[in-house]
């Protein structure tokens, strides 16, 4: 067999092997921070569920065989002593398998079958295929042997505890081939229409076309761009369940949702080369906007959560998205964007302002996206400067949209509200050299060593110069060798793996870099961009990073991190500078 991998190689311990549109991938990560010895087919329908275990076997002894695993965008391969096995996506719900000199055990990941959990296994008398039916995903996984044989079939029709599965092996000399399909209930017997190598070539071509579209500027100076493109491409799912549009999950590991601010960064990165997909990313949470105008906290296949919200960065994002799209939004899209953004802004101005208050509040750190930041240590129901700043930017975007839509009175109203909110921010929360937070019930104020207190730098040109300079100076104190620590490392509250109490995060980096640049602090913006790009080029696209060592933390295949890299790398490549900006 020949296998000519194309595209960046990556570790499946860090990034799942998957394809554009698929709801499942292949990874040893079977739950949050849980790594199995073998690769599993892991589905993200009805949650994250390991369905099938794939075990390479010595064809002579039948024992598990030690192998090395190599993955590129079009091909996943196991290589062991005397042979190899390969896997490639033929379509989002179908994978082809082949082997020579190695067998492969395909077995149910769950050993126990109850009336409501686990995986039932049987051979379908209609076509001779082997079928696993999963309670957890509500789907079937059909294995059809194309050549070779199904050896050691066990657990068919078994109830309770059992080893359920089959071994794919050669029938005499040569190799074997098989196909695994994810299906709802039934479909026609599988018919092979392409050779395995043709399947690999098509998959490689599909990814190459995507990478060429979203990162045509990539070069040796942006060495992680192609892998960043793969992270986005492979995490994209087709519409299903509550995901109303093609959606980029935050990860095909355990962070397998679309959160209502993460999606903004993915939309921005995709905009120039994949404008329709970019617009779908921006619009997807708005498809679930509730009667109050609130966006959900998160959306996934079978669940929409409203118990928290996320910060209103959507006006900031929409302004930059419109500047990055290759063609302007049409009148209908513009009107829809205005209506949805108006309702989202109205939520913050009504449901999240106490009677007589000029500024909105968060009800918990989760609402800010900075779940456990030290700003929320004294109290949780809090007026914060970042929220007011984001709302000011959103109000300005609404004013501009209103002008474009021929609604001058609305534009004037939004501009006046923006000015009043900005004035209240400076009057109520600026202490003279920094911003404070204020408890809604107690009226107490406090400051912290957290980066969240400095996020009003996102206002950029809307800040007085002296105040902008003071914020920029404080931001420098958070800049480590690798990027912006979310808590100053010298703080007694700093935690290396403390989520928002120290680690470096992509969204804070992009928002601050953009605000600094718009506020005239180009050198600092350049430095932040350069350090974050180097961080990703060395340590990948983790959910967050140790601020002092750069080590990737938590989920290691996070799309908004990949998107942030693409934004900053594109600006670096096209502007010929160390940084850039999130706009066009």
């Amino acid at each position: 067999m020949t296998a000519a991998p194309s595209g960046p190689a990556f570790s499946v311990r860090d990034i799942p092997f998957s394809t554009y549109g698929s709801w499942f991938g292949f990874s040893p990560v079977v739950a949050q921070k849980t790594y199995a010895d073998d690769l599993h087919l892991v589905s993200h329908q009805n949650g994250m569920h390991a369905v099938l275990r794939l075990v390479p076997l010595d064809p002579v002894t039948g024992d598990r065989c030690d192998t090395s695993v190599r993955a590129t965008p079009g091909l996943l391969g196991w290589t062991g002593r005397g042979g190899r096995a390969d896997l490639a996506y033929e379509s989002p719900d179908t994978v082809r398998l082949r082997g020579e000199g190695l067998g492969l055990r395909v077995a149910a990941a769950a050993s126990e079958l109850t009336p409501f959990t686990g995986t039932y296994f049987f051979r379908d008398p209609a076509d001779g295929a082997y079928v696993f039916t999963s309670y957890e995903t509500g789907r079937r996984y059909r294995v059809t042997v194309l050549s070779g044989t199904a050896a050691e079939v066990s657990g068919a029709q078994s109830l309770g505890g059992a080893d359920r599965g089959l071994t794919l092996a050669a029938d005499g000399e040569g190799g074997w081939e098989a196909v695994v399909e994810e299906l709802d209930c039934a479909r026609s017997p599988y018919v092979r229409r392409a050779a395995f190598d043709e399947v690999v070539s098509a998959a490689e071509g599909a990814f190459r076309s995507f990478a060429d579209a979203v990162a045509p500027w990539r070069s040796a100076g942006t060495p992680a761009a192609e892998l960043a493109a793969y992270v986005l491409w492979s995490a994209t799912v087709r519409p299903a369940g509550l995901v109303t549009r093609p959606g980029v999950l935050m990860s095909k590991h355990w962070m397998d949702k679309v959160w209502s601010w993460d999606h903004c960064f993915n939309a921005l990165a995709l905009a120039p080369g994949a404008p329709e997909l970019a617009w779908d990313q921006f619009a997807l949470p708005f498809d679930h906007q509730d009667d109050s105008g609130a966006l959900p906290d998160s959306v996934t296949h079978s669940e929409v959560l409203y118990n928290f919200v996320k910060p209103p960065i959507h006006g900031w994002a929409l302004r930059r998205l419109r500047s990055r799209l290759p063609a302007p939004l049409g009148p209908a899209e513009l009107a829809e964007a205005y209506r949805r953004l108006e309702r989202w802004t109205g939520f913050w101005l009504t449901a999240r302002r106490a009677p007589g208050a000029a500024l909105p509040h968060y009800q918990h750190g989760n609402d800010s996206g900075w779940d456990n930041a030290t700003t929320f240590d004294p109290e949780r129901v809090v007026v914060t400067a970042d929220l007011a700043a984001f709302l000011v930017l959103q109000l300005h975007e609404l004013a501009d949209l209103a002008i474009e839509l021929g609604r001058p009175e609305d534009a004037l109203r939004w501009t006046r509200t923006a000015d009043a909110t900005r004035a209240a921010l400076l009057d109520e929360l600026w202490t003279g050299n920094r911003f404070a937070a204020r408890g809604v019930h107690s009226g107490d104020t406090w400051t912290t060593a957290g980066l969240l207190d400095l996020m009003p730098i996102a206002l950029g040109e809307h800040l007085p110069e002296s105040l902008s300079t003071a914020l920029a100076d404080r931001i420098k104190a958070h800049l480590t060798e690798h990027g912006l620590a979310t808590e100053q490392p010298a703080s007694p509250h700093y935690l290396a793996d403390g989520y928002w109490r120290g680690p470096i995060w992509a969204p804070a980096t992009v928002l601050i870099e953009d605000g600094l640049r718009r506020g005239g602090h180009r050198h600092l913006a350049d430095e932040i961009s350069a350090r974050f790009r180097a961080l990703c080029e060395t340590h990948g696209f983790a959910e967050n990073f140790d601020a002092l060592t750069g080590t990737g933390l938590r989920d290691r295949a996070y799309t908004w991190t990949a998107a942030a890299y693409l934004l900053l790398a594109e600006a670096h490549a096209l502007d010929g500078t160390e940084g850039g900006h999130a706009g066009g």
Side-chain angles (χ1 to χ4, degrees):
M1 294 188 303
T2 60
S6 175
F10 56 91
S11 167
V12 290
R13 287 182 62 84
D14 292 334
I15 301 172
F17 180 75
S18 190
T19 196
Y20 186 99
S22 181
W23 278 92
F24 63 86
F26 294 87
S27 171
V29 180
V30 296
Q32 183 173 350
K33 299 182 181 180
T34 303
Y35 293 79
D37 291 333
D38 295 301
L39 298 186
H40 285 64
L41 184 155
V42 180
S43 172
H44 298 277
Q45 298 194 71
N46 295 324
M48 179 186 182
H49 303 289
V51 181
L52 301 178
R53 183 176 70 255
L54 282 67
V55 185
L57 301 178
D58 185 303
V60 177
T61 66
D63 295 333
R64 184 182 185 279
C65 181
D66 289 335
T67 59
S68 61
V69 177
R70 176 180 171 84
T72 60
L75 183 67
L76 173 67
W78 296 260
T79 302
R81 186 174 56 193
R84 64 175 288 125
D86 294 320
L87 182 154
Y89 277 86
E90 182 173 285
S91 72
D93 63 11
T94 301
V95 295
R96 293 276 293 273
L97 289 160
R98 72 176 177 183
E100 186 174 307
L102 281 183
L104 189 70
R105 178 73 174 171
V106 181
S111 61
E112 188 73 20
L113 177 66
T114 79
F116 304 104
T117 64
T119 301
Y120 175 60
F121 177 56
F122 67 98
R123 189 175 188 188
D124 191 338
D127 60 7
Y130 297 87
V131 181
F132 298 86
T133 69
S134 167
Y135 274 105
E136 283 72 20
T137 70
R139 303 298 182 275
R140 298 177 176 219
Y141 302 84
R142 183 172 72 179
V143 183
T144 303
V145 179
L146 303 178
S147 65
T149 185
E152 298 185 43
V153 177
S154 61
Q157 302 186 55
S158 294
L159 305 178
D163 175 24
R164 299 173 175 84
L166 69 154
T167 296
L168 301 171
D171 186 5
E173 296 297 323
W176 55 263
E177 287 199 36
V179 61
V180 180
E181 303 166 272
E182 181 183 61
L183 50 100
D184 290 342
C185 189
R187 68 172 55 158
S188 299
Y190 177 82
V191 176
R192 175 168 39 188
R193 293 182 172 86
F196 188 92
D197 286 337
E198 292 173 327
V199 170
V200 174
S201 180
E204 291 171 348
F207 169 68
R208 193 178 307 113
S209 295
F210 180 87
D212 287 345
V214 302
W217 38 262
R218 65 193 188 279
S219 69
T222 55
E226 200 163 50
L227 188 57
Y230 175 76
V231 170
L232 288 167
W233 181 78
S234 64
T236 302
V237 295
R238 58 190 174 181
L242 296 168
V243 176
T244 51
R245 306 162 181 262
V248 181
L249 302 179
M250 294 314 106
S251 173
K252 279 185 182 169
H253 281 154
W254 62 85
M255 299 296 281
D256 56 352
K257 298 183 180 184
V258 177
W259 274 270
S260 291
W261 70 313
D262 310 44
H263 69 111
C264 292
F265 300 93
N266 289 342
L268 290 175
L270 293 167
E276 291 183 3
L277 183 61
W279 184 249
D280 282 335
Q281 299 327 295
F282 183 77
L284 199 158
F286 284 94
D287 291 345
H288 296 279
Q289 198 166 18
D290 76 2
D291 291 341
S292 74
L295 296 183
D297 185 41
S298 62
V299 179
T300 191
H301 176 268
S302 303
E303 177 186 80
V304 179
L305 299 181
Y306 292 93
N307 53 326
F308 295 105
V309 293
K310 284 293 174 278
I313 69 165
H314 302 81
W316 169 87
L318 181 58
R319 179 173 294 247
R320 278 140 194 82
L321 180 61
R322 292 203 292 151
S323 73
R324 290 176 58 77
L325 290 170
L329 296 177
E333 289 176 315
L334 206 63
E336 179 185 55
Y338 177 81
R339 177 179 59 83
R340 289 178 157 190
L341 198 65
E342 179 182 37
R343 294 183 61 229
W344 177 222
T345 305
F347 165 80
W348 289 100
L349 295 175
T350 54
R352 289 299 181 90
R353 285 202 300 190
L359 297 176
H361 59 267
Y362 292 129
Q363 294 177 344
H364 187 279
N366 289 358
D367 286 341
S368 74
W370 296 51
D371 308 1
N372 66 336
T374 51
T375 298
F376 301 98
D377 280 359
E379 300 177 37
R380 259 58 65 195
V381 183
V382 179
V383 172
T384 65
D386 68 296
L387 173 53
F390 295 145
L391 195 59
V392 169
L393 293 174
Q394 192 151 294
L395 288 160
H396 280 299
E397 179 63 8
L398 278 170
D400 287 350
L401 287 170
I403 290 172
E404 292 181 51
L405 291 167
R407 302 178 184 182
E409 292 183 0
D410 284 355
L412 180 60
R413 174 167 55 91
W414 294 127
T415 299
R416 286 174 174 170
T417 307
D419 291 344
T421 304
R422 175 182 173 276
L425 167 65
L426 300 182
D427 181 57
E428 297 180 22
L429 299 183
W430 181 249
T431 67
N433 59 9
R434 63 198 306 174
F435 282 106
R438 185 178 69 236
V440 174
H441 294 297
S442 69
D444 294 342
T445 60
W446 58 87
T447 59
T448 75
L451 189 62
L452 183 61
D453 295 358
L454 307 179
M455 289 306 296
I457 195 67
L459 281 167
E461 69 276 17
H462 300 288
L463 282 173
E465 183 177 353
S466 60
L467 193 152
S468 176
T469 298
L471 288 179
D473 288 342
R474 289 191 174 276
I475 288 168
K476 292 175 187 176
H478 289 260
L479 189 57
T480 73
E481 176 187 351
H482 304 287
L484 290 169
T486 46
E487 182 80 8
Q488 286 187 23
S491 166
H493 304 294
Y494 176 86
L495 294 172
D497 186 10
Y499 225 47
W500 293 93
R501 303 172 78 91
I504 296 164
W505 286 79
T509 300
V510 170
L511 285 160
I512 287 175
E513 192 268 357
D514 176 66
L516 286 167
R517 198 169 298 283
R518 289 186 292 110
H521 306 284
R522 183 179 179 86
H523 178 73
L524 181 56
D526 286 349
E527 192 61 36
I528 289 169
S529 172
R531 295 189 192 191
F532 186 80
R533 287 185 282 111
L535 174 68
C536 294
E537 288 159 6
T538 303
H539 295 284
F541 305 106
E543 185 180 354
N544 55 72
F545 303 86
D546 186 308
L548 300 183
T549 68
T551 302
L553 303 171
R554 310 294 175 117
D555 196 312
R556 300 299 181 89
Y558 216 75
T559 54
W560 75 356
T561 308
Y565 177 83
L566 288 173
L567 284 167
L568 298 175
E570 177 191 7
H572 170 64
L574 298 183
D575 293 353
T577 66
E578 280 304 306
H581 53 85

